[in-house]
């Protein structure tokens, strides 16, 4: 209980342990993290406890929660996760501080267990170096030591105050706050500074800026009529800054093209390893390809189209010589992510599966896979579009599985034909009279033959299509509508060049992509 006792006309204030004990735990956790970040900057750049624990959580979270996070936060899901990890760490640290004050050593053990879990998360990550254990272990030792020191001072303050020893209680109180303040401030300044230095020194921005790629032997020309010029419709070429990003990397890997290597092994006649110069030296060409995330809902925006520059994967695989019986290629990123791609999709002469090194005329952005990523038309990204790719293992589907397969997604996932309405949008009333309904449609790698629109469950009307770049890219569509005032429902569907109709049956994104016709509500004033 908090009380005040007067001795020699001086107040002897007992500490509010319900406030200061949890604070000791939070300060100790800051010291743990700050110390780990400093050592990580020196010895092991990937050994950040927060990032490692966050990545571990990404790996173990059940599929429905992953889908919910993408739905709620979109491309900010990683920021939301890091904030959640941080808040969880604060709560756990506060509990450790409170327990240490009430029960000696218990809080210290709890903090040590937290450090041990962080250490395990770090050393088991792909690419963990020989010294990856050092930052979290030393940080944990420092954090536990500070917790013991601060708790001892807090107990002395409480004991001297209870004994009505004002001078001693005052000294203990000042000492407690001084040590707490110095420890917290140092941990924050040093830890944040180390993280900034870690990111800055690991950055290869200068190398990317200085990179000069050979001229492409063939280029993609966007034909006249590829963009219908309808306000509110997505551009036919998605700017790099607007291209969707969905991956499992909490921090964007920084890979120096001068040290990057691509190895091809497994069921091959000749295992090979290529440098970046080896790859681009094979000759570059441009390809227009639309990419789609399996998490894209019907009518969603996790889809984009770009002009990619790269080397056909089939040409690289030919150097290694895939063996008879192989039917899958397991691609691996520098951060350990893996994807399972049918071998047939990578060696097909009629399918432009590539190792991309440039996007819309510039080297790949870091968040989109610099220096090299995979782009495979007609397959959802989780089974094909590996960013920061560094290894291909030629194997079989019955012998290996990729990151998402044990998490409830199909091992093979062709993109489902889809169409969406971009304008008019729900919640944005339009005036009566002539209204242009417009949107996007894609049917990779076959191509879109037609888009049809039904208004208020009426007859299907054929929309006008934009001139396609190729069959591997999406198209725009539009339909002129003489709209009457009121509320109306618009439904859109597509047909591909093989005569197939877009699937009407509604399906969730798992296990192999959503399906259904988009039905949208429009208010005409």
């Amino acid at each position: 209980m908090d009380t005040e006792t007067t001795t020699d006309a001086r107040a002897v204030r007992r500490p509010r342990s319900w406030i200061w004990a949890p604070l000791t735990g939070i300060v100790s956790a800051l010291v743990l993290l700050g110390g780990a970040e400093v050592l990580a900057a020196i010895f092991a750049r990937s050994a950040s406890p927060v990032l490692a624990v966050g990545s571990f959580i990404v790996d173990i979270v059940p599929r429905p929660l992953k889908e919910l996070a993408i739905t709620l936060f979109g491309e900010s899901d990683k920021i939301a996760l890091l904030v959640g990890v941080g808040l969880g760490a604060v709560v756990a640290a506060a509990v450790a501080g409170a327990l240490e004050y009430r029960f000696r050593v218990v809080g210290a053990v709890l903090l040590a267990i937290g450090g041990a879990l962080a250490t395990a998360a770090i050393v088991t990550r792909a690419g963990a170096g020989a010294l990856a254990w050092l930052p979290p272990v030393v940080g944990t030792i420092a954090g536990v030591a500070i917790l013991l020191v601060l708790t001892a001072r807090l107990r002395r303050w409480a004991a001297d105050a209870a004994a009505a020893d004002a001078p001693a209680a005052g000294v203990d109180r000042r000492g407690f706050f001084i040590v707490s303040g110095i420890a917290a401030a140092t941990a924050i300044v040093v830890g944040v500074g180390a993280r900034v230095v870690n990111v800055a020194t690991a950055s290869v921005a200068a190398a990317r800026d200085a990179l000069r790629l050979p001229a492409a032997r063939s280029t993609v020309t966007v034909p006249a009529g590829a963009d219908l010029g309808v306000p509110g419709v997505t551009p036919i070429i998605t700017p790099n800054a607007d291209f969707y990003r969905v991956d499992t990397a909490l921090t964007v890997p920084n890979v120096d093209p001068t040290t990057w290597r691509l190895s091809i092994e497994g069921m091959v006649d000749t295992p090979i390893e290529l440098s970046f110069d080896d790859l681009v030296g094979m000759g570059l060409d441009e390809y227009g390809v639309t990419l789609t995330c399996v998490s894209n809902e019907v009518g969603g925006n996790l889809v984009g189209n770009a002009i990619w520059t790269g080397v056909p994967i089939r040409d690289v695989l030919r150097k290694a010589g895939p063996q008879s019986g192989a039917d899958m290629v397991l691609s691996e990123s520098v951060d350990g992510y893996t994807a399972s791609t049918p071998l047939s999709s990578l060696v097909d002469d009629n399918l432009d599966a590539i190792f991309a090194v440039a996007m819309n005329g510039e080297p790949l952005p870091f968040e989109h896979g610099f220096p090299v990523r995979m782009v495979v038309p007609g397959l959802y990204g989780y089974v094909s579009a590996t960013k920061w790719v560094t290894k291909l293992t030629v194997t079989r589907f019955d012998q290996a599985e990729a990151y998402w397969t044990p998490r409830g997604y199909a091992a093979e996932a062709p993109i489902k034909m889809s169409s969406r309405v971009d304008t008019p949008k729900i919640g944005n009333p339009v005036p009566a009279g002539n209204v242009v309904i417009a949107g996007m449609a894609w049917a990779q790698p076959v191509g879109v033959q037609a888009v049809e629109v039904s208004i208020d469950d009426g007859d299907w009307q054929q929309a006008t299509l934009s001139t396609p770049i190729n069959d591997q890219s999406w198209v725009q569509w539009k339909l002129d509508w003489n709209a009457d005032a009121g509320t109306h429902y618009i439904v859109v569907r597509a047909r591909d060049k093989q005569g197939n109709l877009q699937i009407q049956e509604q399906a969730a994104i798992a296990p192999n992509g959503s399906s259904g016709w988009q039905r949208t509500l429009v208010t005409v004033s």
Side-chain angles (χ1 to χ4, degrees), residues 330-367:
L330 191 72
S331 55
E332 184 173 334
S333 168
V334 295
D335 64 353
Y337 175 84
T338 54
S340 56
T341 309
L343 176 61
S344 58
S345 296
L346 301 181
V347 298
D348 189 340
D349 289 332
N350 298 313
L351 197 65
D352 294 329
I354 65 169
F355 288 117
V357 298
M359 179 180 183
N360 290 333
E362 64 178 71
L364 291 171
F366 292 111
E367 63 271 21

mmCIF file of all heavy atoms in Angstrom, residues 330-367:
data_model
loop_
_atom_site.group_PDB
_atom_site.id
_atom_site.type_symbol
_atom_site.label_atom_id
_atom_site.label_comp_id
_atom_site.label_asym_id
_atom_site.label_seq_id
_atom_site.Cartn_x
_atom_site.Cartn_y
_atom_site.Cartn_z
ATOM 1 N N LEU A 330 11.620 -26.108 -56.968
ATOM 2 C CA LEU A 330 11.478 -25.409 -55.693
ATOM 3 C C LEU A 330 12.426 -24.217 -55.711
ATOM 4 O O LEU A 330 13.641 -24.374 -55.658
ATOM 5 C CB LEU A 330 11.816 -26.346 -54.541
ATOM 6 C CG LEU A 330 11.470 -25.843 -53.134
ATOM 7 C CD1 LEU A 330 9.963 -25.871 -52.923
ATOM 8 C CD2 LEU A 330 12.172 -26.678 -52.070
ATOM 9 N N SER A 331 11.859 -23.023 -55.822
ATOM 10 C CA SER A 331 12.681 -21.820 -55.826
ATOM 11 C C SER A 331 12.810 -21.290 -54.403
ATOM 12 O O SER A 331 11.880 -21.401 -53.602
ATOM 13 C CB SER A 331 12.067 -20.746 -56.725
ATOM 14 O OG SER A 331 10.729 -20.465 -56.346
ATOM 15 N N GLU A 332 13.951 -20.710 -54.098
ATOM 16 C CA GLU A 332 14.218 -20.244 -52.729
ATOM 17 C C GLU A 332 14.755 -18.821 -52.745
ATOM 18 O O GLU A 332 15.603 -18.458 -53.558
ATOM 19 C CB GLU A 332 15.214 -21.171 -52.036
ATOM 20 C CG GLU A 332 15.465 -20.822 -50.579
ATOM 21 C CD GLU A 332 16.317 -21.852 -49.864
ATOM 22 O OE1 GLU A 332 16.309 -23.030 -50.301
ATOM 23 O OE2 GLU A 332 16.984 -21.497 -48.877
ATOM 24 N N SER A 333 14.240 -18.028 -51.824
ATOM 25 C CA SER A 333 14.675 -16.648 -51.657
ATOM 26 C C SER A 333 15.836 -16.583 -50.673
ATOM 27 O O SER A 333 16.084 -17.534 -49.922
ATOM 28 C CB SER A 333 13.505 -15.812 -51.143
ATOM 29 O OG SER A 333 13.932 -14.543 -50.716
ATOM 30 N N VAL A 334 16.524 -15.437 -50.654
ATOM 31 C CA VAL A 334 17.628 -15.276 -49.710
ATOM 32 C C VAL A 334 17.151 -15.329 -48.273
ATOM 33 O O VAL A 334 17.933 -15.606 -47.361
ATOM 34 C CB VAL A 334 18.380 -13.954 -49.955
ATOM 35 C CG1 VAL A 334 19.051 -13.943 -51.303
ATOM 36 C CG2 VAL A 334 17.450 -12.754 -49.802
ATOM 37 N N ASP A 335 15.870 -15.057 -48.019
ATOM 38 C CA ASP A 335 15.357 -15.090 -46.649
ATOM 39 C C ASP A 335 14.712 -16.425 -46.303
ATOM 40 O O ASP A 335 14.078 -16.561 -45.258
ATOM 41 C CB ASP A 335 14.360 -13.949 -46.403
ATOM 42 C CG ASP A 335 13.105 -14.059 -47.257
ATOM 43 O OD1 ASP A 335 13.055 -14.950 -48.132
ATOM 44 O OD2 ASP A 335 12.184 -13.253 -47.054
ATOM 45 N N GLY A 336 14.871 -17.427 -47.175
ATOM 46 C CA GLY A 336 14.391 -18.762 -46.876
ATOM 47 C C GLY A 336 13.019 -19.100 -47.413
ATOM 48 O O GLY A 336 12.586 -20.253 -47.329
ATOM 49 N N TYR A 337 12.304 -18.129 -47.974
ATOM 50 C CA TYR A 337 10.983 -18.405 -48.548
ATOM 51 C C TYR A 337 11.125 -19.335 -49.749
ATOM 52 O O TYR A 337 12.078 -19.231 -50.527
ATOM 53 C CB TYR A 337 10.322 -17.097 -48.975
ATOM 54 C CG TYR A 337 9.008 -17.285 -49.695
ATOM 55 C CD1 TYR A 337 7.834 -17.452 -48.977
ATOM 56 C CD2 TYR A 337 8.954 -17.329 -51.090
ATOM 57 C CE1 TYR A 337 6.619 -17.651 -49.636
ATOM 58 C CE2 TYR A 337 7.748 -17.521 -51.745
ATOM 59 C CZ TYR A 337 6.584 -17.682 -51.016
ATOM 60 O OH TYR A 337 5.398 -17.874 -51.661
ATOM 61 N N THR A 338 10.159 -20.241 -49.912
ATOM 62 C CA THR A 338 10.207 -21.169 -51.040
ATOM 63 C C THR A 338 8.872 -21.198 -51.781
ATOM 64 O O THR A 338 7.815 -20.928 -51.208
ATOM 65 C CB THR A 338 10.531 -22.597 -50.567
ATOM 66 O OG1 THR A 338 9.593 -22.990 -49.554
ATOM 67 C CG2 THR A 338 11.943 -22.691 -50.023
ATOM 68 N N ALA A 339 8.929 -21.519 -53.063
ATOM 69 C CA ALA A 339 7.739 -21.642 -53.903
ATOM 70 C C ALA A 339 7.891 -22.867 -54.792
ATOM 71 O O ALA A 339 8.987 -23.190 -55.257
ATOM 72 C CB ALA A 339 7.544 -20.391 -54.757
ATOM 73 N N SER A 340 6.771 -23.556 -55.024
ATOM 74 C CA SER A 340 6.792 -24.756 -55.863
ATOM 75 C C SER A 340 6.159 -24.439 -57.208
ATOM 76 O O SER A 340 4.987 -24.087 -57.284
ATOM 77 C CB SER A 340 6.021 -25.892 -55.175
ATOM 78 O OG SER A 340 4.692 -25.485 -54.861
ATOM 79 N N THR A 341 6.931 -24.562 -58.262
ATOM 80 C CA THR A 341 6.466 -24.232 -59.609
ATOM 81 C C THR A 341 6.561 -25.466 -60.503
ATOM 82 O O THR A 341 7.593 -26.144 -60.510
ATOM 83 C CB THR A 341 7.331 -23.111 -60.225
ATOM 84 O OG1 THR A 341 7.423 -22.025 -59.311
ATOM 85 C CG2 THR A 341 6.741 -22.634 -61.537
ATOM 86 N N PRO A 342 5.494 -25.767 -61.245
ATOM 87 C CA PRO A 342 5.589 -26.894 -62.181
ATOM 88 C C PRO A 342 6.750 -26.696 -63.151
ATOM 89 O O PRO A 342 6.893 -25.623 -63.744
ATOM 90 C CB PRO A 342 4.246 -26.863 -62.901
ATOM 91 C CG PRO A 342 3.309 -26.165 -61.960
ATOM 92 C CD PRO A 342 4.160 -25.141 -61.259
ATOM 93 N N LEU A 343 7.554 -27.710 -63.309
ATOM 94 C CA LEU A 343 8.677 -27.633 -64.235
ATOM 95 C C LEU A 343 8.190 -27.327 -65.641
ATOM 96 O O LEU A 343 8.841 -26.580 -66.386
ATOM 97 C CB LEU A 343 9.458 -28.947 -64.205
ATOM 98 C CG LEU A 343 10.626 -29.079 -65.182
ATOM 99 C CD1 LEU A 343 11.693 -28.024 -64.910
ATOM 100 C CD2 LEU A 343 11.231 -30.487 -65.097
ATOM 101 N N SER A 344 7.030 -27.851 -65.989
ATOM 102 C CA SER A 344 6.498 -27.649 -67.338
ATOM 103 C C SER A 344 6.252 -26.171 -67.636
ATOM 104 O O SER A 344 6.412 -25.732 -68.788
ATOM 105 C CB SER A 344 5.197 -28.431 -67.508
ATOM 106 O OG SER A 344 4.233 -28.036 -66.535
ATOM 107 N N SER A 345 5.886 -25.389 -66.615
ATOM 108 C CA SER A 345 5.647 -23.959 -66.832
ATOM 109 C C SER A 345 6.944 -23.194 -67.060
ATOM 110 O O SER A 345 6.941 -22.130 -67.686
ATOM 111 C CB SER A 345 4.912 -23.363 -65.621
ATOM 112 O OG SER A 345 3.629 -23.926 -65.478
ATOM 113 N N LEU A 346 8.035 -23.723 -66.567
ATOM 114 C CA LEU A 346 9.315 -23.023 -66.679
ATOM 115 C C LEU A 346 10.089 -23.376 -67.932
ATOM 116 O O LEU A 346 10.990 -22.634 -68.329
ATOM 117 C CB LEU A 346 10.172 -23.319 -65.440
ATOM 118 C CG LEU A 346 9.563 -22.915 -64.099
ATOM 119 C CD1 LEU A 346 10.524 -23.240 -62.959
ATOM 120 C CD2 LEU A 346 9.212 -21.429 -64.079
ATOM 121 N N VAL A 347 9.761 -24.502 -68.557
ATOM 122 C CA VAL A 347 10.497 -24.901 -69.763
ATOM 123 C C VAL A 347 9.651 -24.762 -71.024
ATOM 124 O O VAL A 347 10.136 -25.030 -72.131
ATOM 125 C CB VAL A 347 11.009 -26.352 -69.635
ATOM 126 C CG1 VAL A 347 11.988 -26.478 -68.478
ATOM 127 C CG2 VAL A 347 9.851 -27.338 -69.470
ATOM 128 N N ASP A 348 8.413 -24.314 -70.888
ATOM 129 C CA ASP A 348 7.511 -24.157 -72.029
ATOM 130 C C ASP A 348 8.008 -23.030 -72.934
ATOM 131 O O ASP A 348 8.146 -21.876 -72.504
ATOM 132 C CB ASP A 348 6.105 -23.845 -71.507
ATOM 133 C CG ASP A 348 5.054 -23.871 -72.608
ATOM 134 O OD1 ASP A 348 5.418 -23.761 -73.795
ATOM 135 O OD2 ASP A 348 3.857 -23.973 -72.280
ATOM 136 N N ASP A 349 8.251 -23.347 -74.201
ATOM 137 C CA ASP A 349 8.735 -22.343 -75.143
ATOM 138 C C ASP A 349 7.689 -21.273 -75.436
ATOM 139 O O ASP A 349 8.025 -20.191 -75.931
ATOM 140 C CB ASP A 349 9.155 -23.008 -76.461
ATOM 141 C CG ASP A 349 10.433 -23.820 -76.322
ATOM 142 O OD1 ASP A 349 11.250 -23.472 -75.446
ATOM 143 O OD2 ASP A 349 10.603 -24.799 -77.078
ATOM 144 N N ASN A 350 6.427 -21.550 -75.141
ATOM 145 C CA ASN A 350 5.358 -20.604 -75.429
ATOM 146 C C ASN A 350 4.934 -19.786 -74.204
ATOM 147 O O ASN A 350 3.956 -19.051 -74.263
ATOM 148 C CB ASN A 350 4.144 -21.349 -75.987
ATOM 149 C CG ASN A 350 4.441 -22.049 -77.290
ATOM 150 O OD1 ASN A 350 5.042 -21.464 -78.198
ATOM 151 N ND2 ASN A 350 4.041 -23.317 -77.393
ATOM 152 N N LEU A 351 5.680 -19.936 -73.121
ATOM 153 C CA LEU A 351 5.347 -19.220 -71.892
ATOM 154 C C LEU A 351 6.573 -18.432 -71.431
ATOM 155 O O LEU A 351 7.656 -19.002 -71.292
ATOM 156 C CB LEU A 351 4.922 -20.215 -70.803
ATOM 157 C CG LEU A 351 4.175 -19.652 -69.599
ATOM 158 C CD1 LEU A 351 2.829 -19.085 -70.007
ATOM 159 C CD2 LEU A 351 3.991 -20.740 -68.542
ATOM 160 N N ASP A 352 6.389 -17.145 -71.216
ATOM 161 C CA ASP A 352 7.534 -16.284 -70.905
ATOM 162 C C ASP A 352 7.828 -16.247 -69.407
ATOM 163 O O ASP A 352 7.692 -15.219 -68.732
ATOM 164 C CB ASP A 352 7.276 -14.866 -71.422
ATOM 165 C CG ASP A 352 7.210 -14.812 -72.936
ATOM 166 O OD1 ASP A 352 7.897 -15.619 -73.579
ATOM 167 O OD2 ASP A 352 6.465 -13.976 -73.477
ATOM 168 N N ALA A 353 8.252 -17.388 -68.858
ATOM 169 C CA ALA A 353 8.707 -17.446 -67.478
ATOM 170 C C ALA A 353 10.144 -16.946 -67.438
ATOM 171 O O ALA A 353 11.008 -17.478 -68.144
ATOM 172 C CB ALA A 353 8.616 -18.877 -66.954
ATOM 173 N N ILE A 354 10.406 -15.942 -66.622
ATOM 174 C CA ILE A 354 11.720 -15.280 -66.681
ATOM 175 C C ILE A 354 12.316 -15.046 -65.294
ATOM 176 O O ILE A 354 11.608 -15.015 -64.286
ATOM 177 C CB ILE A 354 11.635 -13.927 -67.415
ATOM 178 C CG1 ILE A 354 10.752 -12.943 -66.634
ATOM 179 C CG2 ILE A 354 11.138 -14.105 -68.825
ATOM 180 C CD1 ILE A 354 10.826 -11.504 -67.136
ATOM 181 N N PHE A 355 13.635 -14.878 -65.288
ATOM 182 C CA PHE A 355 14.335 -14.254 -64.173
ATOM 183 C C PHE A 355 14.373 -12.764 -64.493
ATOM 184 O O PHE A 355 15.108 -12.324 -65.390
ATOM 185 C CB PHE A 355 15.760 -14.799 -64.033
ATOM 186 C CG PHE A 355 15.839 -16.203 -63.518
ATOM 187 C CD1 PHE A 355 16.371 -17.217 -64.299
ATOM 188 C CD2 PHE A 355 15.388 -16.512 -62.242
ATOM 189 C CE1 PHE A 355 16.454 -18.515 -63.819
ATOM 190 C CE2 PHE A 355 15.455 -17.815 -61.757
ATOM 191 C CZ PHE A 355 15.994 -18.814 -62.545
ATOM 192 N N ALA A 356 13.568 -11.985 -63.797
ATOM 193 C CA ALA A 356 13.471 -10.554 -64.088
ATOM 194 C C ALA A 356 14.531 -9.787 -63.314
ATOM 195 O O ALA A 356 14.787 -10.052 -62.127
ATOM 196 C CB ALA A 356 12.090 -10.028 -63.731
ATOM 197 N N VAL A 357 15.141 -8.809 -63.999
ATOM 198 C CA VAL A 357 16.134 -7.937 -63.357
ATOM 199 C C VAL A 357 15.711 -6.470 -63.420
ATOM 200 O O VAL A 357 16.345 -5.621 -62.786
ATOM 201 C CB VAL A 357 17.529 -8.111 -64.001
ATOM 202 C CG1 VAL A 357 18.032 -9.543 -63.811
ATOM 203 C CG2 VAL A 357 17.499 -7.751 -65.491
ATOM 204 N N ALA A 358 14.668 -6.175 -64.182
ATOM 205 C CA ALA A 358 14.198 -4.796 -64.311
ATOM 206 C C ALA A 358 12.676 -4.786 -64.395
ATOM 207 O O ALA A 358 12.048 -5.765 -64.808
ATOM 208 C CB ALA A 358 14.806 -4.109 -65.531
ATOM 209 N N MET A 359 12.106 -3.648 -64.002
ATOM 210 C CA MET A 359 10.649 -3.488 -63.945
ATOM 211 C C MET A 359 10.296 -2.101 -64.455
ATOM 212 O O MET A 359 10.757 -1.090 -63.906
ATOM 213 C CB MET A 359 10.189 -3.683 -62.494
ATOM 214 C CG MET A 359 8.723 -3.544 -62.230
ATOM 215 S SD MET A 359 8.420 -3.820 -60.437
ATOM 216 C CE MET A 359 6.635 -3.704 -60.396
ATOM 217 N N ASN A 360 9.551 -2.065 -65.524
ATOM 218 C CA ASN A 360 9.150 -0.787 -66.120
ATOM 219 C C ASN A 360 10.339 0.130 -66.408
ATOM 220 O O ASN A 360 10.325 1.324 -66.125
ATOM 221 C CB ASN A 360 8.137 -0.070 -65.226
ATOM 222 C CG ASN A 360 6.793 -0.777 -65.211
ATOM 223 O OD1 ASN A 360 6.419 -1.455 -66.167
ATOM 224 N ND2 ASN A 360 6.058 -0.634 -64.116
ATOM 225 N N GLY A 361 11.393 -0.472 -66.962
ATOM 226 C CA GLY A 361 12.512 0.320 -67.444
ATOM 227 C C GLY A 361 13.579 0.669 -66.438
ATOM 228 O O GLY A 361 14.507 1.419 -66.757
ATOM 229 N N GLU A 362 13.500 0.130 -65.212
ATOM 230 C CA GLU A 362 14.545 0.405 -64.223
ATOM 231 C C GLU A 362 14.840 -0.866 -63.445
ATOM 232 O O GLU A 362 14.020 -1.786 -63.412
ATOM 233 C CB GLU A 362 14.114 1.506 -63.256
ATOM 234 C CG GLU A 362 12.913 1.145 -62.403
ATOM 235 C CD GLU A 362 12.559 2.251 -61.414
ATOM 236 O OE1 GLU A 362 12.071 3.304 -61.867
ATOM 237 O OE2 GLU A 362 12.773 2.041 -60.218
ATOM 238 N N PRO A 363 16.054 -0.966 -62.845
ATOM 239 C CA PRO A 363 16.344 -2.154 -62.041
ATOM 240 C C PRO A 363 15.232 -2.394 -61.029
ATOM 241 O O PRO A 363 14.601 -1.453 -60.540
ATOM 242 C CB PRO A 363 17.668 -1.797 -61.350
ATOM 243 C CG PRO A 363 18.331 -0.838 -62.292
ATOM 244 C CD PRO A 363 17.201 -0.018 -62.873
ATOM 245 N N LEU A 364 14.987 -3.648 -60.715
ATOM 246 C CA LEU A 364 13.908 -3.985 -59.793
ATOM 247 C C LEU A 364 13.972 -3.135 -58.529
ATOM 248 O O LEU A 364 15.049 -2.951 -57.952
ATOM 249 C CB LEU A 364 14.008 -5.457 -59.378
ATOM 250 C CG LEU A 364 13.707 -6.524 -60.430
ATOM 251 C CD1 LEU A 364 14.077 -7.898 -59.879
ATOM 252 C CD2 LEU A 364 12.239 -6.488 -60.829
ATOM 253 N N PRO A 365 12.846 -2.607 -58.052
ATOM 254 C CA PRO A 365 12.839 -1.983 -56.731
ATOM 255 C C PRO A 365 13.189 -3.034 -55.672
ATOM 256 O O PRO A 365 12.958 -4.227 -55.860
ATOM 257 C CB PRO A 365 11.386 -1.498 -56.576
ATOM 258 C CG PRO A 365 10.875 -1.390 -57.982
ATOM 259 C CD PRO A 365 11.555 -2.495 -58.734
ATOM 260 N N PHE A 366 13.752 -2.589 -54.552
ATOM 261 C CA PHE A 366 14.145 -3.535 -53.508
ATOM 262 C C PHE A 366 12.964 -4.378 -53.051
ATOM 263 O O PHE A 366 13.079 -5.588 -52.874
ATOM 264 C CB PHE A 366 14.742 -2.781 -52.312
ATOM 265 C CG PHE A 366 16.061 -2.135 -52.614
ATOM 266 C CD1 PHE A 366 16.169 -0.759 -52.685
ATOM 267 C CD2 PHE A 366 17.188 -2.907 -52.827
ATOM 268 C CE1 PHE A 366 17.379 -0.161 -52.967
ATOM 269 C CE2 PHE A 366 18.406 -2.320 -53.113
ATOM 270 C CZ PHE A 366 18.506 -0.943 -53.189
ATOM 271 N N GLU A 367 11.798 -3.731 -52.846
ATOM 272 C CA GLU A 367 10.648 -4.469 -52.330
ATOM 273 C C GLU A 367 10.044 -5.413 -53.357
ATOM 274 O O GLU A 367 9.192 -6.242 -53.021
ATOM 275 C CB GLU A 367 9.568 -3.502 -51.830
ATOM 276 C CG GLU A 367 8.972 -2.598 -52.880
ATOM 277 C CD GLU A 367 9.740 -1.294 -53.047
ATOM 278 O OE1 GLU A 367 10.934 -1.236 -52.655
ATOM 279 O OE2 GLU A 367 9.137 -0.335 -53.565
#
